[in-house]
Amino acid sequence: MILSRRQFLATGTAALATPAVAAQAVPFGIDYLEGLAEPGALHDSVPFVAPSAVHEAYSHAFYVNVSFYGDARQKMWVLERKGTGWDLAMRDEAFWTRHGGEAAYSFPVSSGALHQGNSRAGPTPNGIFNVDERSQRYRSGWGSPGMYKAVYIDLHYNSGRVSGVAMHGTTYGRYSALGRPASHGCVRMTCENMDVVHAILHPGGARREDSPLWGEVPRYFTSAPEDSMSARSGYVRDGSLQYDESGNLLTKMGYKALFVFFRDDF
């Protein structure tokens, strides 16, 4: 068993001295996500927000552990608000039936791996991102090769290039890789799971203003939020709220769902 930074801090030397305890299954539920916000749980370079601290504008959140190592790696939590708390918005029932036990997270995924010689492929970026709400980024079926119903993160790099990172369904031949890093930077899942996730944002194919998840949300860039593919600028990736010179919160109209990509293995 490989202990992540958080697991080592939580168990200390007892985990090393007592193999029977260390070998117990860890229930990676919402409490696990909350615990990652504790001091020292994650490396200082990893942006993170606990579900309980997500801005009130969001009704849903997509948490993905993009770690290379550890028992919590390559898992996704699709969360929705329930009263004053959060719950899983979906579970891969077939997966949990095969593995037994109560669903602690939604399903396994494959995030970015190292691809030598490919400068545009690599580990999935850590960070807190909005869904890219622009009309040109909507996908309803197979788009780029191997990308089914892709939902993109809202990010432009400093060069102005738009990020191609998305969550999407993948081809059946890649299902066996789910649970370990394998993609070129995106978050892969089964097409069946992507159908459900896509329907949360776009029930019945509803887009933008027609979606029940459409509303005003914080924006994590400082340029104007136009519905065009012109480069946006001034991005932050740590989820910090941005304000104009008068102290007004910078917002945009978009989907009330937040991406949180994180690592707990260093």
Side-chain angles (χ1 to χ4, degrees), residues 29-161:
I30 296 175
D31 287 345
Y32 157 76
L33 297 176
E34 289 290 342
L36 293 176
E38 294 296 324
L42 295 176
H43 192 273
D44 291 343
S45 65
V46 178
F48 188 79
V49 59
S52 60
V54 168
H55 192 277
E56 61 185 6
Y58 298 101
S59 63
H60 290 72
F62 305 121
Y63 282 80
V64 183
N65 186 328
V66 300
S67 296
F68 278 58
Y69 308 103
D71 293 339
R73 70 173 185 162
Q74 303 298 304
K75 292 175 172 55
M76 183 167 181
W77 295 256
V78 180
L79 303 184
E80 64 179 339
R81 286 194 190 272
K82 290 288 188 179
T84 59
W86 292 82
D87 196 4
L88 289 177
M90 65 164 294
R91 303 160 174 80
D92 183 334
E93 298 296 349
F95 171 82
W96 285 104
T97 297
R98 292 195 304 271
H99 290 80
E102 183 179 354
Y105 54 93
S106 294
F107 44 78
V109 296
S110 284
S111 66
L114 296 172
H115 296 272
Q116 189 173 3
N118 189 338
S119 62
R120 291 198 173 187
T124 303
N126 295 314
I128 298 165
F129 309 99
N130 276 318
V131 172
D132 195 331
E133 83 291 352
R134 289 173 287 186
S135 301
Q136 300 89 339
R137 299 288 261 176
Y138 174 78
R139 301 291 185 272
S140 60
W142 291 98
S144 300
M147 296 176 66
Y148 177 70
K149 292 188 175 180
V151 175
Y152 291 89
I153 66 171
D154 181 2
L155 177 67
H156 282 257
Y157 300 109
N158 291 337
S159 65
R161 180 171 65 88

Side-chain angles (χ1 to χ4, degrees), residues 166-178:
M167 61 178 178
H168 62 79
T170 191
T171 56
Y172 181 78
R174 291 172 171 167
Y175 283 14
S176 61
L178 297 175

